[in-house]
Amino acid sequence: MKKLISLILSVAMIFSSVASYAQGVEAMGLPMPGMMIAPSAAFQPAAIRGLTVDTKNPFKFNFIVDLGDSQLAGPALSAEGQKLIKYFLATLALPEKDIWVNLSPVEKDRVITDALSKTEMGQEMLAQDYILKQLTSSLMYPEKELGKAFWGRVYAKAQEQFGTTDIPVDTFNKVWIVA
């Protein structure tokens, strides 16, 4: 009886943690794990293009923001500008070697640096890496036309170079975002 209760509790805990993870992903506006996604239309987001420094007060900056395709105005533009400024300041405050994210399933202990994880930019970088991985796997899905063609070329090249196609998939590629 104790084993049965333990088993039921274990299963319930596993499903509740998976459900809470899925709800977190959904709340952030990200596609659910395993969901196929397609490339979106090209979009140029708002971006800081430059800054001016007051020569009399070197701690006073004016940022030059390019709206890109965003067409932001008013409070939305102000909020986006503030976010971009925080990202800029985070890149000044953190060592360059710490500005990376990694959602590789083969490196579970190397996801994000502690310092970057405390910034909004780090959270956004993780979200973008998640979408990148989701998009890449959707495009490489072997049962779709593009994926079939991709894997056909990969296995042909493996056969040509190594004389076999029995090679781990992670040997061929790794997709990541660089700041």
Side-chain angles (χ1 to χ4, degrees):
M1 188 61 150
K2 286 182 182 179
K3 287 183 180 182
L4 178 62
I5 291 172
S6 295
L7 177 64
I8 291 170
L9 285 174
S10 297
V11 169
M13 289 174 72
I14 289 169
F15 281 115
S16 70
S17 66
V18 168
S20 67
Y21 170 75
Q23 288 172 351
V25 166
E26 193 172 42
M28 291 170 36
L30 298 172
M32 295 298 289
M35 180 180 174
M36 299 285 279
I37 61 174
S40 62
F43 177 78
Q44 182 66 43
I48 293 175
R49 291 290 177 214
L51 63 97
T52 60
V53 180
D54 187 328
T55 55
K56 293 183 174 128
N57 182 358
F59 293 108
K60 183 177 179 185
F61 300 95
N62 286 311
F63 290 88
I64 301 166
V65 176
D66 180 348
L67 296 178
D69 298 331
S70 70
Q71 300 182 7
L72 294 170
L77 175 58
S78 181
E80 185 68 14
Q82 289 300 312
K83 181 177 83 171
L84 293 172
I85 291 168
K86 285 180 186 176
Y87 289 7
F88 173 78
L89 294 174
T91 62
L92 291 179
L94 297 171
E96 186 177 348
K97 67 176 183 56
D98 289 348
I99 303 177
W100 55 266
V101 298
N102 177 39
L103 292 177
S104 170
V106 296
E107 296 177 293
K108 294 178 178 109
D109 59 334
R110 210 177 152 261
V111 175
I112 187 171
T113 60
D114 186 51
L116 185 60
S117 72
K118 295 176 179 141
T119 68
E120 186 179 343
M121 182 177 77
Q123 295 164 14
E124 180 69 25
M125 287 174 67
L126 281 172
Q128 292 303 312
D129 197 41
Y130 174 83
I131 291 170
L132 175 69
K133 303 294 195 290
Q134 198 94 347
L135 177 62
T136 302
S137 65
S138 295
L139 293 173
M140 293 173 29
Y141 185 63
E143 293 182 27
K144 298 277 184 169
E145 186 178 332
L146 184 61
K148 278 182 190 175
F150 171 79
W151 288 111
R153 288 193 317 268
V154 166
Y155 285 119
K157 189 160 188 121
Q159 184 65 46
E160 174 188 315
Q161 286 186 344
F162 308 114
T164 182
T165 59
D166 190 24
I167 297 172
V169 173
D170 63 355
T171 302
F172 297 112
N173 60 57
K174 183 171 182 178
V175 178
W176 66 90
I177 294 175
V178 199

